[in-house]
Amino acid sequence: MASPASEVQLTTLHSSHDEEATTLTATSSNDLHPTTPRRQLVVLITSFLTICITVGLNQSYGVFQSYYTSSSQTMLPVSTSSSALTAFIGTLGSGLTWSGSLFINPILARLNMKGTKALCLAGVLCMSLGLGLASLCSQIWQLLLTQGLLYGIGSSLLYFPILSVAPEYFNAHRGSAMGFILSGSGMGGLIFSPLIRALLSAIGPRWTLRALALLVLVVSLPIASMAAPSRFVGRRPTRIDIKLAMKPSFLFSVGAGFLQAGGNGLPLTFLAEYSVVLGYSAGFGATLLAVSNGVNSVSRIMSGFAGDRFGRQNTLILTGVLCVIFVLGFWLGSVSGGNKVLWIVFVMLYGVTGGGYNALFPTTVAEVFGLQAYASVNGFIYFVRGLGTMFGSPVGGKILGESKLVNYRNVVLFDAALLGGAMFCVIGVRCWDAVDKRTWKWKA
């Protein structure tokens, strides 16, 4: 990571008839407003809760997926509840949460603090409205528009105004801080997965969606009202410099973002459904998803600490390698023999390593490309991650076809291919970052 006193050369491209380029040279330490421990604490808590409510709900969609494809569901016509289509509802919401960055970051750069809070408020209302309207649906296309599209837009409007500025408030312990913040996804999944399963059993799908709509409104409105401003004195660049975009380290980062997002979501999307295929109850499948999210939450915090101690890129590579090993070793082994023990072991181990990439990815972006370029680079890569999310699970559902044990073999191999590609891309970022900086550091 560049030192606070080092100069960062920034080039922002403006759309005009002459397409003129403006170059800004600034010193990072002078470009940031001072902060206080109290403000850092507010950013830490609001960011954690934002992740909890947005990504936590996204990672709990597997419970809805299992319900929508079950024979006991009462919301959709049985003939239309295929794994591929129902998986796309959740991945559309998750994908839009990430991919909205490409449009939201440029808007944020032009808003003052009141405008930022208004944007967050609009996001809360869209999320709540999406879930509320979903309770009135009776067709998959209607759920795609409400629980998928409208909810996903709202989730992105809440997520990025708060999370895009969070790394600016931390320096020496940025990895630990972001690890804690991003652990909110696992904590949210730990809470929402059993809650949704219990509500589906007690009050049915329609009132479950209405209850979630109310919960989002109550929890997220205070978060939106406390959204923190960017610490940068001037406007942050939100467009990618062409020279930067052509760097191998950037291209590898984009590839890693797409492939990892596609592969990371597959086990979570089909976790509850696959558990039922193995012979577990739907309730146990939801509990297992909650346990995975809980382990994932702790893992993100520990990954942040490990990244600060051993190097964020090093830790990122290690988690990527372990993800591929666990998918091929334990999930594939479970499919081959219908082994429940291997499946439980996989859920636990993948929960440990699967959160590592998501916890360390934002900090490595700041480390490789500089804090000043964080908003533009991170925003673009998150847009690509959104596309990856919308690619992975629906394609996995199409490969699966009918939810039978033998059909999961190709799904597991597809997942391993995505995660393996992401692993090689992350290694590529590590190597080319050293080339760009003309120095190799073992701790990076």
Side-chain angles (χ1 to χ4, degrees), residues 62-145:
V63 181
F64 278 110
Q65 165 79 7
S66 179
Y67 177 79
Y68 288 150
T69 56
S70 69
S71 58
S72 60
Q73 65 90 16
T74 58
M75 195 165 176
L76 301 170
V78 177
S79 60
T80 62
S81 56
S82 69
S83 293
L85 286 174
T86 53
F88 191 54
I89 297 169
T91 52
L92 179 61
S94 298
L96 287 173
T97 301
W98 310 133
S99 59
S101 62
L102 193 67
F103 309 100
I104 294 173
N105 278 337
I107 296 174
L108 280 173
R110 290 161 174 79
L111 295 178
N112 57 21
M113 191 170 179
K114 288 184 179 180
T116 299
K117 291 181 177 181
L119 200 65
C120 292
L121 177 61
V124 174
L125 296 177
C126 285
M127 288 174 67
S128 183
L129 186 62
L131 293 171
L133 291 176
S135 69
L136 305 175
C137 297
S138 58
Q139 300 289 336
I140 285 184
W141 69 267
Q142 295 168 342
L143 288 175
L144 284 169
L145 293 177

Side-chain angles (χ1 to χ4, degrees), residues 109-392:
R110 290 161 174 79
L111 295 178
N112 57 21
M113 191 170 179
K114 288 184 179 180
T116 299
K117 291 181 177 181
L119 200 65
C120 292
L121 177 61
V124 174
L125 296 177
C126 285
M127 288 174 67
S128 183
L129 186 62
L131 293 171
L133 291 176
S135 69
L136 305 175
C137 297
S138 58
Q139 300 289 336
I140 285 184
W141 69 267
Q142 295 168 342
L143 288 175
L144 284 169
L145 293 177
T146 54
Q147 193 176 1
L149 180 64
L150 186 56
Y151 166 83
I153 292 172
S155 181
S156 191
L157 287 172
L158 176 64
Y159 180 94
F160 279 103
I162 293 176
L163 268 296
S164 65
V165 302
E168 299 171 12
Y169 283 84
F170 308 96
N171 188 18
H173 302 290
R174 186 178 296 140
S176 302
M178 292 305 296
F180 172 78
I181 288 170
L182 294 170
S183 72
S185 63
M187 187 59 65
L190 179 63
I191 295 169
F192 285 121
S193 294
L195 175 63
I196 293 171
R197 182 67 252 174
L199 289 174
L200 286 172
S201 299
I203 59 178
R206 299 188 187 280
W207 280 104
T208 296
L209 288 164
R210 290 163 191 159
L212 290 176
L214 179 61
L215 181 63
V216 165
L217 204 61
V218 171
V219 173
S220 301
L221 283 177
I223 297 173
S225 68
M226 292 187 287
S230 171
R231 288 182 63 199
F232 281 105
V233 175
R235 180 182 293 180
R236 295 180 301 170
T238 58
R239 299 176 184 175
I240 303 295
D241 184 296
I242 297 299
K243 181 184 288 187
L244 180 91
M246 298 307 295
K247 285 186 175 182
S249 56
F250 177 81
L251 297 175
F252 275 120
S253 294
V254 171
F258 180 86
L259 294 170
Q260 195 276 342
N264 185 60
L266 266 170
L268 293 176
T269 300
F270 294 103
L271 193 152
E273 187 178 346
Y274 179 74
S275 297
V276 173
V277 171
L278 276 181
Y280 291 116
S281 66
F284 183 81
T287 301
L288 202 57
L289 181 58
V291 170
S292 174
N293 282 313
V295 173
N296 186 284
S297 179
V298 176
S299 170
R300 293 185 185 218
I301 298 175
M302 300 309 297
S303 295
F305 282 116
D308 286 339
R309 182 174 179 81
F310 303 109
R312 294 151 192 168
Q313 295 184 62
N314 294 338
T315 310
L316 191 66
I317 291 172
L318 177 62
T319 58
V321 172
L322 290 176
C323 279
V324 177
I325 292 173
F326 293 154
V327 167
L328 290 176
F330 294 99
W331 192 8
L332 187 60
S334 171
V335 171
S336 299
N339 192 310
K340 294 182 178 181
V341 175
L342 287 179
W343 173 238
I344 299 296
V345 172
F346 167 75
V347 170
M348 299 298 291
L349 292 179
Y350 189 80
V352 172
T353 57
Y357 185 96
N358 297 319
L360 293 166
F361 167 73
T363 60
T364 56
V365 168
E367 180 174 310
V368 174
F369 302 103
L371 189 60
Q372 184 77 27
Y374 175 82
S376 57
V377 175
N378 189 60
F380 182 81
I381 295 177
Y382 263 108
F383 168 74
V384 174
R385 280 177 61 78
L387 299 180
T389 300
M390 289 186 279
F391 170 77

